[in-house]
Amino acid sequence: MTALIRRSLPLLLAFVILIAMALPAGASSSAQGLQPFGAAGPETITGTFTTTNPIYPTIGAVIGVVLYDFAGQIQDDYNFVPPPDAQTLGAVEGDIASGSYTLTLPDDPQGTLLDFDGDASTPPGVQVFVTGMYIDFLGDEYVNRGESLLNPSANIQPMTYHVVGGHVLAWAAQDGEQFPAGLGADGAAFTADDPLMDLPAGWSVIDLDTDPFTLLRDETVDVPLLETLGALNDYSALSYMEAWQRLLERTRITYPFTDEKNIDFDAIEAEITPLVEVAVNNLDFHLAIARFGELIPDTHIGYASLPVMQNFLLGGVGIDHLAVTDDGEVVVLDVLKNMPAATAGIVAGDVLVKVDGVPALQAMDETPMLITSASTLHGRRFIQAATMLQGAIGSTVQLSWQNEDGTVESATLTRVPDASSLLTAFGGSLSGPVIDSEMLPSGIGYISVKGFAEEVSTANAQFTDQLQALVDEGAKGIILDVRDNGGGLVNLAMAEAGHFFPDYELIMDFYYADGEGGFAYRGFVETLVETPGYDGPVAVLVNEMTGSAGDMFAYAMSQSDRAIIVGHTPSGGFTGEVSDGQYTLPGGLQMQIPTGRPVNPGTGDTLIEGTGVVPDVRVPLTREGLLSPEDEVLQAAEDAILNAQ
């Protein structure tokens, strides 16, 4: 998503939605207060849901509610997906942010039979389900391989993944089957220390929030859906110091790259706590938190603050695009008419020499990260290029620049209202189609994939249709452009990648904080199998802001040398999973911090984070190339495909 830490300007959120629920199995005693056996049992389930996570309402998702076999989670089987004939769909009113549902229970459910009595001589006789809301991005209304529940009826503890409450639905063909009657000493359901109780025949809804569990057998039972994995961490009502302490405490436990990045949280605490202590307003506090984010080099760490924007970023001089060449030149690529820079005589192609008396590249590298941190140097410079010349409206900046003829000029410019550089850097997803394609004059098909976080329930169909059209036209190869693709739903990315592989391909495993100081396996990412399949030559275009699910797409396409990776730089190299790392802090500060770590399934090494997917064909960054009206990276990709034939 996973990927949106900048999609709410500039919080490029990264939505890699991996909800895998891991739960083991049960043993002995009894419960009280049950309705008499022989009651008909529930027929209809109703309920409501609310989603506080700020990512999901932005992604254009079609949702559904389903009766979902819980056996995969109870048995800790991450490959488990119930077939469509074992799923019963409900009717939904509302959208992903909030709504209600009604579901009619089937007379003959087709779930997995489970045995909770610990007696191997007795056959399993209980089916266990949850109701749950899911995002339908594969288009057939059912939950398929690559799709997962978003808000289930069971309460899943985010770190341990234990079931600690909520509701499940059980079905037994006969009276007297055994079922957990309480959480047991470990506080978790479906574990070895659970007491047991008898189930009546037919359907029962089990309320896991009571001790012992309560069986609900009314004809209609209300079963709310719970946002347990990925709920917003709302610290907005706390004091500055309380919010900071809560944020730091959770980040210490959940941040997935502490060892890889040599993060010293004690040193961070020593630097930031005094700043929070003296904060007297929201701006002071937000600047302290921005400094905290900057100390952890990770582009997925974003912090959107209105006071910071207003005081430091909304004034500019009309230079809306800077770039750094391989030789370290800071080149002006675009200047707005009738703005201070243009009035002073700065034109596209000029090279900044100094900013406020400091060499331009040094000034860029010293620019504070007020919007987001950065996982890589090339990503950091991209962000700093967008913010280096920004400041308070009415403030001044002294610039020296070298003209094309080699002469150097200087001027002091007064900043005016101008956010053009921010919009150029971070607003790429705000216009244009999510999927766009054309047949290039070379006979190679070109598909631009802007992101995996918009129109998510139709994007895969759009991609499929446009790929098929290019294949039908006889494309000699396919170029997939994921430059500036900040990510989104990782499984949507894997569906689109799946058109280029003949079978499912395991790409990475994901690990999350286990609540005991370590990280535990919680699921995997794989390419899906999609039609049409394409086995011809492929190139993938990347840049500094190809990140999150965009990074993972490029990485997947690089496996088995399936595609040629082409770019000026590696991809952005930010791949931590972010759905459970959303925060609201005092003063309306929105923050995001990753919680999940992708690793190589074979070696256990962390993948992509901090390096990016390195191009097979690296196009040099030169002043001439940056100013050329031609797309050098696209041309290099065309050449690579044609030369490979």
Side-chain angles (χ1 to χ4, degrees):
M1 220 259 356
T2 104
L4 299 165
I5 156 181
R6 65 183 168 114
R7 290 305 183 241
S8 61
L9 192 64
L11 216 65
L12 174 56
L13 310 167
F15 317 140
V16 192
I17 299 175
L18 298 169
I19 296 183
M21 306 165 207
L23 317 158
S28 88
S29 198
S30 65
Q32 305 169 1
L34 307 183
Q35 295 190 22
F37 290 7
E43 297 179 2
T44 303
I45 305 299
T46 61
T48 58
F49 54 87
T50 300
T51 303
T52 63
N53 189 302
I55 294 175
Y56 302 126
T58 70
I59 64 177
V62 173
I63 62 167
V65 169
V66 65
L67 181 70
Y68 193 83
D69 190 342
F70 209 43
Q73 286 69 48
I74 292 172
Q75 296 176 330
D76 197 16
D77 180 0
Y78 291 97
N79 289 299
F80 181 86
V81 178
D85 61 5
Q87 301 178 39
T88 299
L89 302 178
V92 181
E93 293 187 5
D95 56 27
I96 198 169
S98 64
S100 62
Y101 75 96
T102 301
L103 187 148
T104 301
L105 294 174
D107 294 330
D108 184 22
Q110 300 298 305
T112 305
L113 289 170
L114 302 173
D115 191 0
F116 294 101
D117 63 11
D119 184 352
S121 66
T122 61
V126 181
Q127 300 178 40
V128 184
F129 299 83
V130 291
T131 52
M133 183 239 286
Y134 64 97
I135 296 171
D136 179 17
F137 67 86
L138 293 179
D140 69 352
E141 296 186 330
Y142 291 96
V143 181
N144 299 285
R145 184 169 177 172
E147 295 175 315
S148 57
L149 297 186
L150 187 62
N151 291 354
S153 60
N155 188 349
I156 314 295
Q157 209 276 342
M159 292 189 195
T160 64
Y161 274 46
H162 289 160
V163 177
V164 296
H167 295 78
V168 296
L169 297 87
W171 187 91
Q174 59 186 12
D175 288 344
E177 293 286 353
Q178 297 292 286
F179 193 83
L183 297 179
D186 64 3
F190 306 110
T191 56
D193 69 347
D194 293 350
L196 296 179
M197 64 181 174
D198 291 340
L199 275 182
W203 282 105
S204 300
V205 176
I206 294 91
D207 183 346
L208 308 181
D209 290 322
T210 61
D211 184 18
F213 296 160
T214 301
L215 268 67
L216 307 174
R217 301 272 292 172
D218 294 335
E219 181 177 339
T220 299
V221 179
D222 184 72
V223 177
L225 304 184
L226 308 175
E227 187 188 24
T228 58
L229 300 175
L232 177 68
N233 299 284
D234 189 352
Y235 303 158
S236 60
L238 302 178
S239 69
Y240 295 150
M241 184 56 67
E242 289 171 331
W244 158 240
Q245 290 172 338
R246 289 278 296 276
L247 178 68
L248 177 63
E249 178 184 14
R250 192 171 193 270
T251 304
R252 281 181 183 269
I253 297 170
T254 62
Y255 185 65
F257 305 114
T258 297
D259 293 339
E260 291 89 338
K261 297 176 184 288
N262 297 312
I263 306 301
D264 185 342
F265 280 108
D266 289 337
I268 289 174
E269 181 177 16
E271 177 175 340
I272 303 303
T273 299
L275 301 179
V276 177
E277 286 176 336
V278 299
V280 296
N281 54 41
N282 290 336
L283 178 60
D284 291 344
F285 176 66
H286 293 183
L287 287 172
I289 297 302
R291 177 58 180 161
F292 164 60
E294 185 175 9
L295 291 172
I296 306 175
D298 189 325
T299 313
H300 264 145
I301 296 182
Y303 22 91
S305 164
L306 183 59
V308 170
M309 293 287 291
Q310 291 173 329
N311 283 273
F312 296 100
L313 295 170
L314 295 186
V317 296
I319 295 176
D320 79 344
H321 198 183
L322 295 170
V324 181
T325 69
D326 291 343
D327 294 330
E329 291 182 321
V330 179
V331 181
V332 176
L333 298 185
D334 200 4
V335 180
L336 301 182
K337 295 179 180 179
N338 303 318
M339 297 288 277
T343 302
I346 299 174
V347 299
D350 287 348
V351 176
L352 287 187
V353 177
K354 290 186 178 181
V355 178
D356 287 330
V358 177
L361 187 60
Q362 178 184 339
M364 181 178 290
D365 288 339
E366 293 173 354
T367 298
M369 305 290 283
L370 297 178
I371 293 173
T372 177
S373 189
S375 297
T376 62
L377 176 60
H378 55 277
R380 182 182 178 93
R381 282 182 170 169
F382 177 89
I383 295 164
Q384 289 171 316
T387 60
M388 176 173 68
L389 300 182
Q390 300 301 109
I393 296 170
S395 63
T396 61
V397 59
Q398 186 183 52
L399 300 182
S400 297
W401 64 95
Q402 180 177 296
N403 297 312
E404 187 174 6
D405 63 7
T407 60
V408 175
E409 298 184 54
S410 297
T412 298
L413 309 181
T414 300
R415 295 183 176 97
V416 298
D418 172 29
S420 60
S421 66
L422 303 182
L423 292 171
T424 297
F426 302 114
S429 70
L430 300 179
S431 63
V434 175
I435 309 292
D436 199 11
S437 64
E438 63 176 306
M439 183 67 79
L440 300 174
S442 62
I444 295 172
Y446 169 87
I447 304 177
S448 168
V449 184
K450 186 172 62 176
F452 302 111
E454 300 167 71
E455 302 176 25
V456 298
S457 291
T458 60
N460 189 50
Q462 293 177 45
F463 186 91
T464 297
D465 291 345
Q466 295 186 46
L467 175 60
Q468 183 67 67
L470 293 171
V471 171
D472 291 345
E473 287 186 60
K476 299 176 183 178
I478 299 294
I479 293 174
L480 303 171
D481 191 346
V482 290
R483 289 175 292 183
D484 296 324
N485 181 320
L489 297 185
V490 66
N491 287 331
L492 173 57
M494 294 303 103
E496 294 180 17
H499 289 279
F500 303 95
F501 292 89
D503 202 351
Y504 296 94
E505 295 278 341
L506 179 62
I507 300 301
M508 60 191 68
D509 290 333
F510 258 92
Y511 282 74
Y512 292 78
D514 61 9
E516 298 179 355
F519 282 76
Y521 174 71
R522 298 300 189 213
F524 59 89
V525 172
E526 63 178 353
T527 62
L528 304 180
V529 174
E530 292 289 306
T531 56
Y534 181 78
D535 61 3
V538 181
V540 177
L541 313 185
V542 300
N543 69 0
E544 308 95 325
M545 286 292 104
T546 301
S548 196
D551 263 320
M552 295 179 190
F553 177 86
Y555 177 78
M557 293 300 300
S558 73
Q559 298 306 288
S560 303
D561 295 324
R562 181 63 193 93
I564 304 165
I565 309 300
V566 185
H568 285 305
T569 70
S571 63
F574 48 103
T575 52
E577 204 277 331
V578 300
S579 64
D580 195 43
Q582 304 298 315
Y583 301 85
T584 298
L585 302 176
L589 176 61
Q590 302 296 313
M591 191 164 193
Q592 172 179 270
I593 301 175
T595 61
R597 178 173 72 237
V599 306
N600 184 307
T603 67
D605 295 333
T606 297
L607 287 173
I608 310 170
E609 176 66 38
T611 58
V613 181
V614 178
D616 300 301
V617 177
R618 183 184 177 275
V619 181
L621 271 165
T622 65
R623 178 178 174 278
E624 293 73 24
L626 289 169
L627 295 170
S628 171
E630 303 299 325
D631 187 338
E632 285 190 318
V633 173
L634 178 60
Q635 288 180 332
E638 288 186 87
D639 291 343
I641 287 178
L642 294 173
N643 291 335
Q645 294 180 340

